[in-house]
Amino acid sequence: MTAGTRKLFGTDGIRGIAGEFPLDPGTVYAVGLALGHSLKKKEPRPRVLLGRDTRESSPWIGATLAEALRQAGAKVESAGVVPTPAVAFLARAHGFNAGVVISASHNPWNDNGIKLFGGDGFKLPDALELAMEEEILFHAAKGIEVDVKTLPRLEDKPALQSDYIQFLRTSLPNLSLGAMKLVVDCANGAASAIAPELFRRLNRDGRAKVTLLNVTPDGRNINANCGALHPNVVAAEVKERKANMGITFDGDADRCMLAGSRGNVINGDAILLMAGRDLKARGLLTGDLVVATTMSNMGLEAALKRSGIRMLRAPVGDRYVLEEMQKHKAALGGEQSGHILLPHLATTGDGMLTALMILELIGRTGKSIDELTADLKVFPQVIVNIKVREKKPLAAIPAVATAIHAAENELQDTGRVVIRYSGTEPLARVMIEAENSEAMKRHADAIAAAIRNELGV
């Protein structure tokens, strides 16, 4: 089943503008009921863990979900403000039957979302989400009235945050920051609640200098000109402060981007290259294989090939990368956006774990990230986002199909054309990479114009 056959769930849960369908109070309540009823089929008194990011709407959405879950017979606990991967880890480690994350990841503050994890720490299967959709829409159609102002707010358990920090530390026990100078951008998001204490504990001897940016969330400044969507911010700070490296997270800290000492951005492709080569050198890269996505640069594929590593491409979305990894028993996969999957350490992408893995690699090898990625030749790439009013099959629209065909005919083996809809936003994405920058931009503009004329808002 594809995301297109679902009305509520995209590639990363339910997402939209907080207060509007499907994130109006009545529908959110219906989500809680559906999840609770689904869990009760296997467990008489299921336990559910909630976690949230720093958005203004996250507390009332959490309270609404909790009330509905209790009504459905579930026991609810809250980890408070934590990254998405923290909920996945804590649900598994503490024997919860499910974990729920209230976050819209990299989206603006007025958006929000609901992501669901099973007790095994993995995102719920498509089939289960589809079955829940039917109940959610059934309840929502009845017009559930919810006064969020009267709902009891959740009591957070700080010990759960501490457990997650301890997990991060023990996952890479040999990591030492030494005398490194780091700049860390927390995007005024979930990382703000974890990074200060995490890096304090990691800096055991006090020799490292860690500068934390954007750690004062106010409910509306999450991802605002900061974080993984704006990696140049931390890159500029690294250069200005003469730091060794920069780290930047998105709103829910399930992915990260890095910056080198020259103020250069290091994206997920470069992280996959560093990690892939290191795992191969230590005999840990199963089948000498890395799973990336259709958006990963041709330069990554070429660099991995020089190291004797194959690269498979999955559709965009970490759930699809994970499916491909499980199919091939791969030890490493991820996305250009910095969402990296390390199944020997975690069940889902974890930006903080990714950053610590690279820090450990640097400490162990004595090489900087610039040295470790020096031979990565990135093909010119352009991505154009077009806001659309509906998501019709693009290949079925003659003007769009003609523009795509023209690009593929001219570029052939010297470039790639990837056109897709976002799984989390009302956007069509046009990505072209090619040796010839002029042809790349010309075709990207032509395809984007065709989509805009047919489907644009």
Side-chain angles (χ1 to χ4, degrees):
M1 181 186 65
T2 64
T5 63
R6 296 179 286 182
K7 296 182 177 68
L8 299 177
F9 286 93
T11 56
D12 206 14
I14 299 171
R15 197 171 293 185
I17 298 174
E20 299 181 11
F21 180 84
L23 290 176
D24 58 286
T27 307
V28 170
Y29 193 90
V31 172
L33 287 178
L35 176 59
H37 293 156
S38 174
L39 295 172
K40 283 203 73 175
K41 292 176 182 177
K42 293 185 178 180
E43 175 63 43
R45 181 67 164 153
R47 297 172 62 236
V48 180
L49 176 68
L50 298 188
R52 64 182 186 275
D53 70 14
T54 58
R55 291 164 209 274
E56 190 174 77
S57 58
S58 292
W60 74 254
I61 292 176
T64 306
L65 283 169
E67 186 68 17
L69 283 162
R70 294 189 195 104
Q71 180 65 32
K75 182 181 178 183
V76 181
E77 295 182 38
S78 173
V81 174
V82 290
T84 287
V87 172
F89 162 73
L90 293 167
R92 187 176 76 255
H94 289 272
F96 287 92
N97 301 100
V100 181
V101 181
I102 302 146
S103 173
S105 187
H106 57 276
N107 286 28
W109 71 269
N110 50 321
D111 284 359
N112 217 322
I114 300 171
K115 307 181 191 184
L116 305 178
F117 290 89
D120 57 0
F122 289 97
K123 290 181 180 178
L124 293 187
D126 285 348
L128 184 53
E129 288 185 346
L130 183 61
M132 285 181 55
E133 268 200 5
E134 294 179 8
E135 182 179 348
I136 294 166
L137 293 171
F138 171 77
H139 289 305
K142 294 193 297 185
I144 301 173
E145 293 292 330
V146 180
D147 183 357
V148 298
K149 294 179 182 177
T150 65
L151 296 176
R153 286 300 186 254
L154 295 170
E155 182 181 342
D156 301 331
K157 295 193 171 181
L160 292 171
Q161 286 185 352
S162 186
D163 285 353
Y164 173 62
I165 292 172
Q166 184 62 14
F167 155 73
L168 292 172
R169 291 184 63 210
T170 56
S171 293
L172 295 153
N174 297 321
L175 168 62
S176 172
L177 298 182
M180 288 190 76
K181 287 183 68 176
L182 301 175
V183 180
V184 181
D185 182 348
C186 295
N188 289 313
S192 303
I194 301 296
E197 177 63 14
L198 172 64
F199 282 96
R200 187 192 69 78
R201 293 191 197 181
L202 289 173
N203 192 15
R204 291 185 292 268
D205 57 12
R207 291 190 298 138
K209 183 175 181 181
V210 181
T211 301
L212 296 170
L213 306 176
N214 301 304
V215 287
T216 54
D218 62 10
R220 296 190 174 194
N221 60 1
I222 185 171
N223 300 316
N225 299 312
C226 59
L229 282 188
H230 305 277
N232 289 322
V233 171
V234 81
E237 288 286 341
V238 167
K239 189 173 182 180
E240 174 71 21
R241 296 171 184 270
K242 295 182 171 54
N244 301 104
M245 178 175 144
I247 301 165
T248 184
F249 303 107
D250 64 338
D252 68 335
D254 63 351
R255 58 190 175 98
C256 80
M257 300 276 266
L258 306 175
S261 59
R262 302 191 307 272
N264 49 310
V265 173
I266 306 287
N267 67 12
D269 282 352
I271 294 171
L272 284 175
L273 179 62
M274 289 186 281
R277 284 174 168 169
D278 182 57
L279 289 173
K280 179 177 168 63
R282 294 190 286 148
L284 301 174
L285 192 66
T286 313
D288 291 338
L289 174 69
V290 169
V291 178
T293 75
T294 54
M295 300 299 280
S296 281
N297 196 275
M298 294 169 68
L300 170 62
E301 195 165 6
L304 288 171
K305 188 175 181 180
R306 289 194 296 272
S307 296
I309 300 171
R310 292 184 301 133
M311 188 180 99
L312 290 182
R313 293 184 185 271
V316 172
D318 64 297
R319 66 166 63 226
Y320 304 121
V321 174
L322 181 61
E323 284 176 7
E324 200 70 20
M325 290 175 69
Q326 290 173 333
K327 188 187 306 180
H328 296 277
K329 296 182 172 58
L332 176 66
E335 302 184 271
Q336 190 183 65
S337 62
H339 203 132
I340 308 298
L341 293 166
L342 301 159
H344 64 293
L345 296 176
T347 57
T348 190
D350 188 327
M352 292 190 162
L353 199 58
T354 299
L356 299 191
M357 173 195 67
I358 296 300
L359 287 170
E360 192 274 337
L361 170 59
I362 290 169
R364 176 161 39 83
T365 62
K367 295 181 178 179
S368 69
I369 51 176
D370 293 318
E371 292 174 286
L372 292 167
T373 59
D375 67 327
L376 177 60
K377 178 190 174 185
V378 178
F379 279 56
Q381 183 184 83
V382 63
I383 299 175
V384 182
N385 294 319
I386 307 101
K387 196 165 187 178
V388 294
R389 60 181 181 272
E390 58 181 320
K391 295 182 179 181
K392 287 184 178 179
L394 293 168
I397 301 173
V400 177
T402 298
I404 293 172
H405 186 64
E408 291 174 337
N409 270 355
E410 180 177 342
L411 299 177
Q412 295 191 28
D413 294 336
T414 65
R416 292 192 309 125
V417 180
V418 180
I419 318 296
R420 68 179 187 90
Y421 287 116
S422 167
T424 58
E425 299 175 86
L427 298 174
R429 302 196 196 279
V430 177
M431 189 283 283
I432 298 184
E433 62 186 31
E435 292 179 335
N436 185 320
S437 296
E438 184 278 327
M440 172 191 73
K441 187 175 187 310
R442 173 164 39 86
H443 285 296
D445 289 343
I447 296 170
I451 296 172
R452 196 173 290 113
N453 288 339
E454 297 289 337
L455 302 174
V457 175

